């Protein structure tokens, strides 16, 4: 027996497993995608673990910005691990199915880390705002205690979102033939597939978007409006360049994260079978977690200097 109920007039049994459509049925393309995603995942692990290790090991990077960046690297690692291994297994083993419990777990963990990343990026934007607009107050405002509270709050808000999304899905009924036209369990697509009343699930989704997604984005926008205003008031071109350079990596990260999300969830669609969404989803679930550590490594002089110092220490020990 089950507590789910389909809408009146619909005859079907409750799904115990979903089918993930993936990208293509062509074998040669599947092999190519498998190798590409495997390489991306390995680079993601290497880059994010390397960034976490470097930040912990180098005293040069013991500052608020890198404290946030270390947590961002951890979240990126978790986001990628939530999605990519199952996608690789699907291609390698030909397993299209994902159990109902597995889908619930994926929705919970992905919802948790997605919102956590939103608030970590907002905290990093606030950090840049204080550093550029109020440099004399920076040590006081961005104290270790406040940074710790900002990071803890980000994880708690992410946890709230994950629990809410999983609870919203638990009230839905799905026919056993349900196929998700993506490579992972996406809550908005599952709601559209449900054959039961989706009012509660939609309410939870919209409430979490309004109360969690919008405020974090507003913090980013307001912070950068103030930052740009402050930079424009700097008289020297060199001063402007230095101020902008401290934000360049963060702006690149924001673009790769929010760009695909806006395309995926805010752009209007004519139908529910949306091929472009798969590649937008690839960007923020697979590509962005890989790019973030390299964006900061290649563009940041402090990170480069920390690498050089660690290499010198390593050479001295060998």
């Amino acid at each position: 027996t089950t507590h789910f109920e389909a809408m009146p007039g619909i005859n079907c049994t409750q799904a115990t497993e979903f089918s993930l459509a993936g990208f293509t049925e062509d074998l040669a393309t599947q092999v190519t995608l498998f190798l590409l995603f495997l390489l991306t995942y390995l680079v993601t692990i290497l880059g994010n673990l390397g960034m976490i290790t470097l930040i912990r090991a180098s005293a040069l990077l013991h500052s608020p910005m890198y404290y946030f960046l270390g947590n961002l690297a951890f979240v990126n690692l978790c986001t990628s691990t939530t999605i990519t291994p199952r996608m690789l297994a699907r291609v390698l083993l030909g397993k299209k199915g994902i159990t109902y419990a597995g889908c619930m777990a994926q929705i919970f963990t992905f919802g948790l880390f997605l919102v956590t990343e939103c608030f970590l990026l907002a905290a990093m934007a606030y950090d840049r705002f204080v550093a550029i607009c109020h440099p004399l107050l920076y040590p006081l405002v961005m104290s270790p205690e406040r940074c710790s509270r900002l990071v803890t709050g980000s994880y708690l808000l992410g946890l709230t979102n994950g629990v809410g999304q999983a609870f919203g899905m638990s009230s839905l009924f799905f026919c056993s033939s349900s196929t998700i036209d993506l490579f992972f369990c996406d809550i908005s697509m599952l709601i559209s597939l449900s054959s039961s009343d989706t009012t509660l699930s939609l309410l939870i989704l919209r409430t979490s978007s309004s109360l969690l997604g919008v405020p974090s984005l507003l913090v980013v926008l307001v912070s950068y409006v103030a930052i740009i205003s402050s930079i424009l008031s700097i008289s020297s071109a060199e001063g402007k360049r230095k101020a902008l350079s401290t934000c360049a990596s963060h702006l690149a990260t924001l673009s790769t994260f929010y760009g695909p999300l806006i395309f995926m969830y805010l752009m209007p669609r004519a139908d529910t079978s949306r091929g472009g969404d798969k590649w937008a989803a690839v960007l923020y679930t697979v590509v962005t977690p890989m790019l973030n550590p390299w964006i900061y490594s290649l563009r940041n002089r402090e990170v480069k200097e920390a690498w050089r110092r660690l290499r010198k220490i390593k050479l001295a020990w060998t």
Side-chain angles (χ1 to χ4, degrees):
T1 60
T2 178
H3 65 280
F4 299 101
E5 289 186 4
M7 293 184 73
I10 296 178
N11 242 342
C12 65
T13 56
Q14 165 67 12
T16 57
E17 187 176 84
F18 297 98
S19 178
L20 298 173
F23 295 94
T24 177
E25 295 300 323
D26 180 69
L27 183 60
T29 307
Q30 282 188 352
V31 172
T32 303
L33 288 174
F34 173 81
L35 294 174
L36 182 61
F37 288 137
L38 177 61
L39 177 62
T40 302
Y41 185 54
L42 292 175
V43 173
T44 300
I45 294 173
L46 176 66
N48 286 290
L49 282 180
M51 183 61 72
I52 293 168
T53 303
L54 181 66
I55 291 170
R56 286 183 172 274
S58 176
L60 186 66
L61 303 182
H62 290 176
S63 65
M65 184 174 75
Y66 295 106
Y67 175 62
F68 295 132
L69 181 58
N71 281 277
L72 181 65
F74 172 74
V75 167
N76 286 160
L77 194 60
C78 293
T79 299
S80 184
T81 301
T82 298
I83 303 296
T84 310
R86 184 175 290 276
M87 179 168 55
L88 293 173
R90 180 195 179 280
V91 178
L92 185 65
L93 305 175
K95 292 179 64 176
K96 293 183 180 180
I98 179 172
T99 64
Y100 181 87
C103 203
M104 287 280 284
Q106 200 171 67
I107 282 176
F108 169 74
T109 53
F110 184 68
L112 189 163
F113 292 119
L114 182 70
V115 167
T116 300
E117 183 164 358
C118 287
F119 280 96
L120 284 175
L121 290 172
M124 293 171 79
Y126 178 69
D127 174 76
R128 292 300 83 203
F129 159 72
V130 178
I132 293 172
C133 301
H134 305 285
L136 297 178
L137 295 175
Y138 185 80
L140 179 64
V141 175
M142 300 306 295
S143 64
E145 294 78 14
R146 177 162 295 177
C147 292
S148 179
R149 286 197 293 269
L150 286 171
V151 168
T152 302
S154 298
Y155 284 108
L156 288 175
L157 289 167
L159 179 62
T160 300
N161 182 64
V163 171
Q165 302 293 13
F167 177 76
M169 183 181 167
S170 69
S171 66
L172 299 179
F173 182 95
F174 300 93
C175 290
S176 56
S177 59
S178 294
T179 298
I180 303 169
D181 193 24
L182 268 180
F183 52 91
F184 69 101
C185 289
D186 174 68
I187 185 68
S188 61
M189 194 158 288
L190 280 164
I191 290 174
S192 69
L193 287 174
S194 177
S195 51
S196 58
D197 184 7
T198 60
T199 303
L200 176 62
S201 301
L202 284 170
L203 179 64
I204 292 173
L205 183 63
R206 289 166 182 167
T207 301
S208 64
S209 299
S210 301
L211 297 182
L212 299 175
V214 174
S216 61
L217 183 57
L218 280 176
V219 170
V220 171
L221 293 175
V222 171
S223 295
Y224 273 101
V225 167
I227 287 169
I228 292 169
S229 176
S230 181
I231 289 174
L232 290 175
S233 67
I234 299 174
S235 56
S236 69
E238 180 65 16
K240 289 180 180 179
R241 188 192 65 79
K242 284 184 177 180
L244 280 171
S245 68
T246 66
C247 301
S249 297
H250 186 239
L251 284 170
T253 299
L254 287 169
S255 301
T256 59
F257 179 73
Y258 278 109
L261 278 179
I262 290 171
F263 177 84
M264 181 84 172
Y265 295 110
L266 298 184
M267 295 284 284
R269 297 290 189 274
D271 54 65
T272 56
S273 180
R274 308 173 295 187
D277 284 0
K278 293 182 182 179
W279 298 106
V282 166
L283 284 177
Y284 71 81
T285 60
V286 179
V287 178
T288 297
M290 176 193 70
L291 288 179
N292 284 345
W294 303 105
I295 288 172
Y296 280 91
S297 297
L298 296 174
R299 294 193 56 89
N300 197 293
R301 285 179 297 178
E302 289 177 328
V303 172
K304 292 178 182 178
E305 180 60 27
W307 277 120
R308 279 194 291 267
R309 290 186 184 184
L310 280 184
R311 285 177 62 189
K312 286 181 181 178
I313 294 171
K314 185 179 179 181
L315 289 172
W317 279 92
T318 55

